[in-house]
Amino acid sequence: MALQIRTGTWTELQTDAKPIREQVFIQEQHIAVKDEWDAQDAVSQHFVVYEGEHAIATARLLPNHSIGRVAVLASHRGQGIGKQLMLDIIQQAQQQQRPLLQLSSQVHAIAFYQQLGFQVRGEEYLDCGIPHIDMQMSLLEND
């Protein structure tokens, strides 16, 4: 089935994005509810991947060029959906003429982001008890 990626505000997409994040971050990864929901949702551009009518993945792009809350439902992992989602975000960021993209990757996902062109920056650290590392990608032509 063909996938469709919609982008919009939190107001427009939270009905579909929220359950995915609850399942992946709060239930699977045991992140505290207070740590999952923050003021950044209101100012971010949100992305939701749909398979037919079903929302199966989500992410957000913050004003500071950070990609966050990248989540694919367990039932749909390993099918390249996360990659499609990230490529869509990268394309949108290029159209918006952003200079770079950055993210805080869970350590197990470093290779996934490296395949997309992100590079590790700095040292590993814990966020909500999960090892993370900062990664960055330049979007400027001559960088």
Side-chain angles (χ1 to χ4, degrees), residues 12-13 16 20 30 33 37 43 49 51 55 59 73 80 82-83 85 89-91 94 113 115-116 118-119 128 133:
E12 294 166 332
L13 293 174
D16 293 329
I20 297 169
H30 309 293
V33 172
W37 310 116
V43 297
V49 182
E51 184 180 58
L73 292 178
K83 182 178 180 182
L85 174 58
I89 295 169
I90 292 164
Q91 184 182 17
Q94 287 168 328
Y113 291 114
Q115 288 175 331
L116 292 163
F118 285 85
Q119 296 173 318
C128 297
I133 198 147

Side-chain angles (χ1 to χ4, degrees), residues 3 15 32 44 51 63 78 82 85 88 106 109 117:
L3 298 179
T15 308
S44 295
E51 184 180 58
L85 174 58
D88 194 72
Q106 293 186 8

